[in-house]
Amino acid sequence: MHAIWTGNISFGLVSIPVKLVSAIKTQEKEHFSLFCEEHQVPVHYKRWCEKGEHDVPWDEVMKGMEVGHNKYYLFTKEKLDSLKPHKTETIEIEGFYPHEEIRTYWIDKHYFLLPGATTAAKPYRLLYEALLDTEQVALARFVMHEREHLAAIKAVDGSRALFLTTLHYVDEIASLEGAPEIREAVKLEAGELALAKEIISKHAKKHIELNRYKDHFAEKLEHLAHGKKVKVEAEPERPAHKSLMDALEASVKAAKAAREAEM
C-alpha cells in the first residue's frame, strides 16, 4: 500500500515508526471531462488577467487574501513559505479521551496507520492493545502537506490496525445556534415514539454487510459509456397518509411483512 506520510508516533518516551495510508479510494468513479456542446471538443480553462488582457503562466501567479470589499493582501511565494509549519516526522500524542468524545461532525479524512519498520511491530501492537482495552482515542498533532493537522487515533477492533482520522478545527465547524428549526420543543403524541422504536427494532441487524450496497449511479454510467444497456427505473410512488400516526402504523405493517418474506 502506498504511503503518503512516514514518520513516528510519540507515545510517552516510546517512538514508533509508522506510515500513513489512505483508507479511502479518492479516485472518482464517475470522472467527467467538459466538452463544448456545439463542437464536441474538450473545454480548457485559462488564467486570464483582465487588466493586461493576457494569459498568466503559473510561475507568475500570486495568491491573495480578501481583507475588505475588493481589497486584497498579496502574498509572495517567499512570504507564504516562511509562514508554513515546519515539516516534522512525528505524530505528537497530546492526550487520551473516551471514544464518544469525538463528535461525528468533527471528522475530516480517514487513514490507516501501519507499522513503518520491522522494529515497530511490538510497540505498535502494544499501543493498539492499550487503546483497545482502555476504549480510549489518542488526540494528536502532525504536519502533512504543509499543514498542521489535528487527528484522532483509535484501534480498529478485529483488524489489528490503528486508524487515524484528521479532525476539523473548531473555526471550520458551523454552529447550530442560528438554526430556528430545532430550537423549539416539539410535543410527541402518545404511541408515536413507541411505533418509531418498533420500526427500528424490526429493521435492526447486528452487522452491516457493506458489500451488499453499490453506487448504482456510477454503475449505470460505466455501463452506458461502454455501450451496455441500462434499465432506467421510475421512482416508486409513496402513499400519502393522513397523519404521522397513520404513516408509522403503515411502516410497522410493511416492516413486519418484509421480515416474514425473508423467513
Side-chain angles (χ1 to χ4, degrees), residues 1 6 18 48 61 103 129 167 183 197 199 259:
M1 300 179 77
T6 58
V18 290
W48 184 255
V61 172
R103 309 292 192 270
E129 294 291 348
L167 305 176
R183 282 208 300 260
K197 290 181 178 179
I199 293 170
R259 178 65 65 87

Side-chain angles (χ1 to χ4, degrees), residues 24-153:
I24 307 296
K25 295 179 181 179
T26 55
Q27 184 178 0
E28 295 181 15
K29 290 177 286 188
E30 58 273 12
H31 176 72
F32 293 104
S33 296
L34 301 181
F35 283 76
C36 168
E37 182 178 5
E38 179 183 357
H39 301 101
Q40 297 188 359
V41 295
V43 173
H44 300 286
Y45 290 95
K46 293 183 177 181
R47 295 176 297 277
W48 184 255
C49 174
E50 293 182 357
K51 186 175 181 179
E53 296 185 345
H54 61 85
D55 290 331
V56 182
W58 268 118
D59 58 358
E60 295 179 15
V61 172
M62 296 181 69
K63 292 183 178 181
M65 179 178 289
E66 190 171 8
V67 294
H69 181 62
N70 289 332
K71 292 183 178 180
Y72 294 86
Y73 180 86
L74 299 182
F75 293 88
T76 62
K77 184 179 183 301
E78 292 73 22
K79 174 60 73 174
L80 279 176
D81 288 344
S82 70
L83 297 174
K84 290 175 182 176
H86 296 292
K87 183 180 178 181
T88 66
E89 295 181 349
T90 304
I91 297 175
E92 295 281 356
I93 294 178
E94 299 198 348
F96 298 91
Y97 303 88
H99 288 176
E100 57 270 18
E101 280 293 298
I102 305 299
R103 309 292 192 270
T104 302
Y105 51 87
W106 293 359
I107 294 172
D108 185 16
K109 295 180 181 178
H110 308 287
Y111 303 90
F112 290 120
L113 199 56
L114 305 176
T118 54
T119 55
K122 188 171 184 177
Y124 178 93
R125 186 61 183 270
L126 179 66
L127 178 58
Y128 170 86
E129 294 291 348
L131 288 175
L132 196 64
D133 289 351
T134 58
E135 297 183 347
Q136 296 283 296
V137 173
L139 196 66
R141 288 179 183 269
F142 73 109
V143 175
M144 179 176 66
H145 298 156
E146 300 182 334
R147 183 186 175 191
E148 185 179 57
H149 294 271
L150 185 64
I153 301 171

